[in-house]
Amino acid sequence: MPTLHAADGSPETAVLVDGARIAAIGPYEELAAEHQDARLRRWPGILLPGLLNPYAPELLERTYHPDPREADEYGTEPVTGERARELLATRLGASARRGVQRMLAHGTVAVAGELRARGALDAVRRAGLAVGRRPDVLPGPLSLSPAPLILLPRPAVGAPARFAVFDVPDTATLVRRGASTCVATVIDGRLVYRAR
């Protein structure tokens, strides 16, 4: 069954997804009238192509992402430095999976940087994240929401269904508030992140 994704702040850019591909892009009203059988997903904010995070090795192989059950011992924020190296020696795969989940929650649909650890490679592959070329100059400090944000090219009909929705009125506000405003991330037609 096709799914029509529409964001209140960008009604001219609704996306019809059929399987793993984009079947149509256009104004919400037109697509809804033409595809009445489609499941509808309405989101607040704006629909964009999704983000590339160039810090994949740093975030997935050199940062420990604590399990919520470890919050008393390690906190809830990512752990870096020597403590992270100690923890990653035996927990890299699980940490990388949680790191990928954090990336998806920030609208990331692609990563860059050379990953070497099997656990990180597997986490990226299983999530369906695209792997792109790392920019020559990295955008600011290591972050799940790098500044400046790196948007992927606009979605196209027939292309893999990869995009994200951010609960902001426009891209200027997204840049100012950051990628933590993400409410939905879609990769290969699957809703891989949805804000609660």
Side-chain angles (χ1 to χ4, degrees), residues 71-193:
D72 289 343
E73 190 171 355
Y74 305 119
T76 58
E77 294 302 309
V79 177
T80 58
E82 184 59 35
R83 186 68 177 137
R85 280 189 286 282
E86 293 169 7
L87 293 165
L88 290 169
T90 57
R91 304 175 191 185
L92 189 131
S95 173
R97 287 189 297 276
R98 291 188 295 270
V100 164
Q101 287 300 313
R102 284 178 181 241
M103 292 173 126
L104 296 174
H106 284 79
T108 299
V109 298
V111 295
E114 187 178 349
L115 292 169
R116 294 190 171 117
R118 177 141 186 115
L121 288 164
D122 286 347
V124 166
R125 182 183 48 77
R126 286 181 182 146
L129 288 165
V131 178
R133 189 178 148 282
R134 193 170 191 161
D136 294 331
V137 177
L138 293 176
L142 171 68
S143 176
L144 290 163
S145 180
L149 297 171
I150 303 172
L151 282 171
L152 292 179
R154 296 186 69 131
V157 173
R162 297 176 185 279
F163 53 88
V165 183
F166 299 89
D167 191 6
V168 293
D170 51 44
T171 53
T173 306
L174 172 61
V175 169
R176 193 170 56 257
R177 291 186 46 206
S180 64
T181 58
C182 180
V183 293
T185 304
V186 173
I187 295 180
D188 294 335
R190 295 177 297 124
L191 183 63
V192 294
Y193 170 74

Side-chain angles (χ1 to χ4, degrees), residues 39-81:
R39 175 186 321 139
L40 176 61
R41 294 214 185 259
R42 296 288 307 239
W43 306 106
I46 58 175
L47 190 147
L48 293 172
L51 303 176
L52 173 119
N53 191 309
Y55 294 109
E58 294 83 357
L59 287 169
L60 301 178
E61 296 178 338
R62 294 181 214 134
T63 302
Y64 182 71
H65 299 274
D67 185 292
R69 295 169 292 190
E70 301 172 318
D72 289 343
E73 190 171 355
Y74 305 119
T76 58
E77 294 302 309
V79 177
T80 58

